[in-house]
């Protein structure tokens, strides 16, 4: 069976371009606005939606994603509500892949089995769980694969050739290359090194390789798109949410459009780079 | 949970953990981002190599003796014992001993662990040391050893703790460390740890993360424990010398649990030795404002390990509350979680008010101003010792001195 994620990458390849993966935090700045944002993302040019599951202690995130999580938690977001949002999104969109990204504790407390059942039923396609390295695959990765979900792993500049096979072993859907050693939102120093790293990973896997951390503009996206199968943008989008809010932190008329406008620019940047059709 | 407890309580030894993947029963593990994973594995290998090297042990022993000032005395707290006996039933009132780890250089047990980690960092060629701190004792110990060995030192400390532990902030700065006040989350110890992890993930190449307690990803809980076990080993020898036998009970305060495990671990297989860990009950367990993760929490995953945590039904971590900044953490070391489930150690709790009363009593009766952390243990010593016969030997780990706390205490007592 072809998964939504495979189908989406196949379509992007057929169009001769990289995929745009957009991260927003679920429930930021509130349930209804957040749902409106993800519903608007595909038309704005997003190929894949990464939906951040808020957590009180996001150890691997920079300030923008930390603040987005705090806004969502303050507005009452829970993992249960995030799954409800995915269900609501699926009612109007059967094709755009949705990936939940976050930390293990909320899932662990929800109960792994119950979570996998509810997530699958809601229409979730994959999971990225930052604090579950391959050493802890028994926890969630293997049960998720058995449940038919993709488990997408992060590879980083510290993942050397010796370790890479271990990281890739149970990875499915795509590989997320973290372009810098650092937290989300940190700037990319050298785009040339990113292409080299993607090429290195591709020597070990057939899976698409997407690149994230530090992509803020259409120009950045275009630079990354030259060497990768996809580009992830997150911190810049949640910053767009933040700057659209009123003095009391509430959504305004421009909250959704602040995100979709930036997504449009990023999508245009990616489409400006023609890629050879994959064999 | 009960299945785990039953399975492990038949063990021949409580001292063999963790397994090679860093688990104590279901607790522990390595729940970290991929960026850190290669470093964790490198650290594990470096620590195993150091353990096998007699030169490392010799170097540790030499600095512990000449720089830290070990062994710390095992002191018969005569007036505290008299105080308890005067209020106990006839023939009751244990003989109370203090393990004087507050007499170490820098004023707490923290230095035992920091020395080990700094020597290891130097073997690994790391020149930049980062640490998190709550009460500031671990930060001061780290700053001290970085000064001693000429290493760069950055200490993350919650902004709330910076405010309530000013003397230690000043000490760290005098020692040449950079103290970074952490403004995120609840601005206390857990947030300092988040920020230290963010620093580490950013500066992986040159940085060693010196964790202050028996928590974090494997191998930290086991490594920090090993460095702290000098407390329990000395206690065994000193008690044999003083009384010709082992103690009947041990008691220590628990935040993350490093001073406690250091005292407990060498005695875990002495089944006749009763062991008590004392968590911080803050305003009382029923108030919801406490730091007692074993008594008031449940298993979850945070900061690299599975352990008991204070959290809500959605798995969001709750803020801990304690008058003592060093106990103000919503988790506990994974080995304690396992010792709790197996029943080998009994975990109880003391409130802010009980700790304050014990703080004052110890100052007046023994001429020792204890830190607020061991004051929690002392509060329970006063309770438990009265229920034990006079020939019962009870050892409390007096793991820190209270100079840093005098302003906090003065504020709570309405000025002095």
């Amino acid at each position: 069976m072809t998964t939504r994620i495979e189908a989406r990458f196949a379509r992007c390849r057929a169009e001769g371009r990289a995929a745009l993966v957009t991260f927003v935090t679920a429930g930021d700045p509130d349930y209804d606005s957040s749902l409106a944002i993800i519903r608007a993302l595909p038309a704005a040019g997003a190929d894949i939606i990464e939906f951040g599951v808020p957590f009180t202690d996001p150890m691997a995130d920079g300030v923008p994603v930390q603040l987005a999580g705090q806004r969502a938690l303050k507005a009452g977001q829970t993992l249960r509500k995030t799954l409800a949002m995915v269900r609501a999104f699926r009612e109007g969109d059967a094709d755009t892949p949705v990936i939940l990204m976050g930390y293990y504790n909320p899932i662990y407390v929800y109960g792994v089995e119950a979570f996998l059942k509810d997530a699958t039923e809601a229409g979730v396609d994959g999971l990225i769980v930052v604090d579950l390295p391959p050493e802890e695959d028994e926890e969630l990765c293997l049960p998720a694969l058995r449940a038919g979900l993709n488990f997408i792993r992060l590879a980083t500049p510290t993942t050397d050739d010796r370790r890479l096979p271990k990281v890739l072993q149970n990875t499915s859907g795509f590989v997320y290359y973290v372009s810098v050693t650092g937290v989300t939102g940190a700037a990319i120093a050298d785009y040339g090194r990113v292409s080299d790293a993607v090429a290195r990973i591709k020597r070990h896997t057939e899976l698409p390789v997407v690149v994230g951390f530090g992509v803020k503009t259409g120009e950045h996206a275009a630079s990354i798109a030259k060497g990768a199968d996809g580009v992830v943008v997150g911190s810049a989008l949640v910053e767009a949410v933040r700057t659209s809010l009123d003095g009391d932190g509430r959504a305004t008329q421009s909250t959704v459009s602040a995100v979709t406008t930036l997504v449009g620019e990023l999508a245009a940047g990616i489409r400006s780079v023609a890629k050879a059709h994959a064999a | 949970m009960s299945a785990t407890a039953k399975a492990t309580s038949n063990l021949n030894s409580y001292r063999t953990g963790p397994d090679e993947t860093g688990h104590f029963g279901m607790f522990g593990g390595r729940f970290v981002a991929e960026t850190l994973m290669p470093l964790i594995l490198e650290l594990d290998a470096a620590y195993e190599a150091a353990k096998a090297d007699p030169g490392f042990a010799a170097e540790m022993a030499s600095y512990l003796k000449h720089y830290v000032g070990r062994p710390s005395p095992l002191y018969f707290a005569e007036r505290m014992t008299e105080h308890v006996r005067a209020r106990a039933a006839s023939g009751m009132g244990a003989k109370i001993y203090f393990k004087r780890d507050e007499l170490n250089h820098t004023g707490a047990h923290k230095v035992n662990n920091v020395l080990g980690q700094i020597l290891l960092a130097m073997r690994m060629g790391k020149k930049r040391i980062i640490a998190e701190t709550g009460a500031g004792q671990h930060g001061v110990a780290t700053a001290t050893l970085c000064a001693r060995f000429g290493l760069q030192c950055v200490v993350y400390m919650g902004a709330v703790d910076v405010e309530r532990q000013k003397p230690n902030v000043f000490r760290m700065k005098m020692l040449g460390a950079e103290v970074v006040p952490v403004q995120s989350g609840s601005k206390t110890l857990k947030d300092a740890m988040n920020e230290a992890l963010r620093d580490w993930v950013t500066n992986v190449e040159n940085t060693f993360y010196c964790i202050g307690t028996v928590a974090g990803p494997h191998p930290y809980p086991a490594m920090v424990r090993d460095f702290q076990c000098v407390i329990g080993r000395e206690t065994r020898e000193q008690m044999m010398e003083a009384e010709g036998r082992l103690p009947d009970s041990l008691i220590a305060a628990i935040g993350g649990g490093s001073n406690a495990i250091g005292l407990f671990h060498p005695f875990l297989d002495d089944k006749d030795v009763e062991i008590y860990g004392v968590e911080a009950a803050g305003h009382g367990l029923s108030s919801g404002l406490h730091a007692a993760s074993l008594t008031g929490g449940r298993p979850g995953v945070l900061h690299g390990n599975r352990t008991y945590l204070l959290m809500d039904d959605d798995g969001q971590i709750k803020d801990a509350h304690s008058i003592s900044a060093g106990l103000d953490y919503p988790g506990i070391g994974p080995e304690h979680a396992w010792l709790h489930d197996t029943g080998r150690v009994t975990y109880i709790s003391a409130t802010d008010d009980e700790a304050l009363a014990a703080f004052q009593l110890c100052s007046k009766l023994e001429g020792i101003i204890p830190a607020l952390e061991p004051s929690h243990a002392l509060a329970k010593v006063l309770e438990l010792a009265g229920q034990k016969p006079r020939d019962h030997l009870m050892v409390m780990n007096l793991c820190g001195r209270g100079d840093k706390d005098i302003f906090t205490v003065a504020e709570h007592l309405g000025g002095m």
Side-chain angles (χ1 to χ4, degrees):
Chain A
M1 195 186 81
T2 305
T3 65
R4 285 193 196 98
I5 293 175
E6 285 166 354
R8 184 52 52 104
F9 276 107
R11 197 178 93 186
C12 291
R13 262 197 307 275
E15 291 175 11
R17 63 178 180 87
L20 176 60
V21 182
T22 54
F23 172 98
V24 288
T25 296
D28 171 30
D30 61 75
Y31 186 96
D32 292 337
S33 308
S34 183
L35 181 56
I37 289 170
I38 56 167
R39 279 179 168 154
L41 283 174
D47 294 299
I48 295 174
I49 294 173
E50 261 180 41
F51 217 20
V53 177
F55 183 48
T56 38
D57 294 80
M59 286 89 70
D61 284 302
V63 171
V65 177
Q66 287 177 40
L67 292 176
Q70 283 173 23
R71 290 193 295 270
L73 290 173
K74 198 173 162 209
Q77 191 69 12
T78 61
L79 180 51
R80 212 164 286 280
K81 286 186 183 173
T82 298
L83 292 174
M85 266 185 192
V86 176
R87 253 193 315 276
F89 172 81
R90 272 284 165 254
E91 284 165 13
D93 188 319
D95 302 324
T96 305
V98 174
I99 294 158
L100 296 187
M101 178 167 183
Y103 296 81
Y104 184 38
N105 199 51
I107 295 172
Y108 178 69
V109 169
Y110 194 103
V112 165
E113 240 172 84
F115 168 76
L116 290 174
K117 180 172 173 288
D118 293 354
T120 311
E121 282 173 10
V124 171
D125 299 288
L127 305 174
I128 301 177
V129 184
V130 180
D131 52 353
L132 284 179
E135 280 72 8
E136 303 290 350
D137 269 358
E138 301 286 336
E139 293 282 339
L140 179 66
C141 172
L142 297 177
L145 293 176
R146 283 196 292 271
L149 290 175
N150 283 133
F151 199 85
I152 294 125
R153 193 100 62 190
L154 307 180
T156 72
T158 58
T159 315
D160 61 18
D161 280 326
R162 210 158 43 108
R163 181 166 170 80
L164 208 41
K166 189 175 177 77
V167 169
L168 296 172
Q169 190 182 10
N170 293 317
T171 300
S172 67
F174 58 90
V175 181
Y176 184 154
Y177 180 66
V178 173
S179 55
V180 290
T181 56
V183 293
T184 52
I188 293 179
D190 184 344
Y191 288 97
R193 280 176 69 177
V194 173
S195 300
D196 293 346
V198 171
R200 178 168 75 88
I201 294 168
K202 281 185 162 296
R203 285 197 292 275
H204 292 265
T205 182
E206 304 278 299
L207 291 170
V209 178
V210 311
V211 175
F213 280 38
V215 182
K216 292 182 175 63
T217 64
E219 203 182 327
H220 290 161
S223 307
I224 296 287
K226 285 176 198 154
D229 300 305
V231 181
V232 189
V233 185
S235 296
L237 297 180
V238 297
E239 275 297 272
V241 171
R242 187 180 65 82
T243 52
S244 77
L245 303 177
D246 69 14
D248 298 319
R250 282 182 307 234
T252 62
Q253 291 290 335
S254 67
T255 296
V256 175
S257 62
V259 177
T260 52
T261 304
L262 180 52
V263 169
E265 286 169 22
L266 294 159
I270 280 178
R271 281 167 173 79
S272 72
V273 180
K275 294 168 75 77
H277 288 238
Chain B
M1 203 63 48
S2 57
T4 315
K6 284 201 180 71
T8 45
S9 60
N10 296 325
L11 283 175
N12 291 323
S13 174
Y14 289 91
R15 303 182 64 219
T16 55
D19 64 19
E20 67 280 2
T21 58
H23 290 89
F24 302 91
M26 67 177 280
F27 301 103
R30 287 182 286 214
F31 297 88
V32 295
E34 173 58 25
T35 309
L36 294 180
M37 205 52 223
L39 277 93
I40 300 277
L41 295 172
E42 184 194 348
L43 174 64
D44 197 13
Y47 178 54
E48 288 302 318
K51 266 202 293 192
D53 177 1
F56 184 74
E59 201 180 4
M60 276 290 287
S62 174
Y63 283 112
L64 282 174
K65 181 176 178 188
H66 301 290
Y67 190 70
V68 175
R70 301 205 74 93
S72 68
L74 181 68
Y75 164 75
F76 170 40
E78 194 172 358
R79 294 198 68 210
M80 195 64 80
T81 301
E82 281 168 13
H83 174 87
V84 167
R85 286 178 177 171
R87 284 154 187 77
S90 157
M92 302 299 272
K95 192 170 180 182
I96 301 165
Y97 280 88
F98 291 164
K99 178 61 175 163
R100 301 284 306 275
D101 254 51
E102 100 281 10
L103 291 176
N104 294 336
H105 181 40
T106 71
H109 69 288
K110 294 290 187 187
V111 70
N112 305 327
N113 161 48
V114 173
L115 174 64
Q117 289 197 51
I118 294 296
L119 292 179
L120 188 60
M122 290 192 296
R123 284 169 79 100
M124 295 174 73
K126 306 283 185 184
K127 301 269 189 258
R128 180 176 180 271
I129 309 295
I130 58 170
E132 84 294 335
T133 197
Q137 291 303 110
H138 175 60
V140 167
T142 307
T144 297
L145 284 158
C146 286
R148 169 62 184 78
F149 292 107
L151 302 167
Q152 187 191 348
C153 180
V154 180
V155 179
Y156 290 92
M157 188 168 186
V160 168
D161 292 337
V162 167
E163 199 47 46
R164 61 179 168 175
Q165 302 286 342
K166 277 183 192 152
N168 274 344
V169 174
F170 186 67
R171 288 166 80 194
M172 287 185 271
K173 288 182 178 169
M174 288 298 293
L175 291 160
E178 181 192 346
V179 180
V180 183
V182 176
Q183 301 289 352
S184 62
S186 59
K187 304 175 189 179
T188 60
L189 183 51
K190 84 173 170 79
D191 310 287
M193 199 154 182
N194 290 336
E195 212 55 40
L197 285 163
R198 290 180 190 123
D199 179 311
W200 201 21
V201 98
T202 307
N203 301 292
V204 278
E205 294 299 332
N206 66 345
T207 297
F208 186 99
Y209 182 15
C210 183
I211 295 185
T213 192
V214 284
H218 178 68
Y220 282 100
M223 179 174 70
V224 175
R225 173 200 69 199
D226 293 348
F227 291 145
Q228 290 294 0
C229 274
V230 65
I231 300 171
R233 286 197 304 270
E234 285 177 8
T235 301
R236 279 184 88 93
E237 279 178 26
Q238 291 167 322
M239 191 57 100
M240 289 303 291
E241 202 173 300
E243 300 278 355
R245 65 184 181 91
L246 292 182
D248 297 295
S249 62
L250 307 171
I251 183 162
I254 297 190
S258 71
N259 93 80
I261 207 82
L263 175 64
F264 299 169
H265 197 263
F267 292 95
L268 287 177
D269 287 342
D270 299 291
K271 301 277 163 68
D272 294 333
V273 179
E274 296 170 32
I275 307 182
Y276 300 93
V278 184
E279 296 191 288
H283 296 201
L285 294 178
S286 56
S287 72
L289 300 173
H290 61 80
S293 29
L294 285 179
T295 329
R298 58 206 166 104
V301 174
L302 179 70
H303 292 153
N305 65 99
R306 174 165 26 232
T307 189
Y308 278 79
L309 299 171
L310 301 178
M311 56 185 167
D312 69 13
D313 291 340
D314 188 45
Q316 306 297 337
I317 308 303
K318 284 193 202 165
D319 294 343
H321 288 269
S322 172
I323 187 172
S324 148
L327 303 180
D328 208 344
Y329 180 70
I332 185 165
E335 192 165 12
H336 285 292
W338 178 73
L339 290 168
H340 170 71
D341 275 13
T342 58
R344 176 61 187 101
V345 176
T346 304
Y347 294 88
I348 51 184
S349 61
T351 63
D352 287 352
D353 288 345
E354 289 174 313
L356 276 168
F359 177 98
Q360 295 172 81
L361 189 69
C362 186
S363 302
K364 285 183 180 142
L365 287 183
E366 295 290 351
I368 299 170
I369 300 177
L372 279 169
E373 291 79 15
S375 295
H376 286 73
L378 192 56
K380 294 294 125 171
V381 165
L382 294 169
E383 214 172 278
L384 289 167
Q387 300 158 15
K388 304 290 183 190
R390 292 194 172 208
D391 62 355
H392 181 105
L393 304 174
M394 182 175 280
V395 178
M396 187 201 81
N397 195 8
L398 187 46
C399 63
R401 68 180 188 219
D403 309 41
K404 68 183 174 60
D405 293 316
I406 51 176
F407 302 110
T408 305
V409 173
E411 198 176 304
H412 278 265
L413 298 179
M416 289 171 86

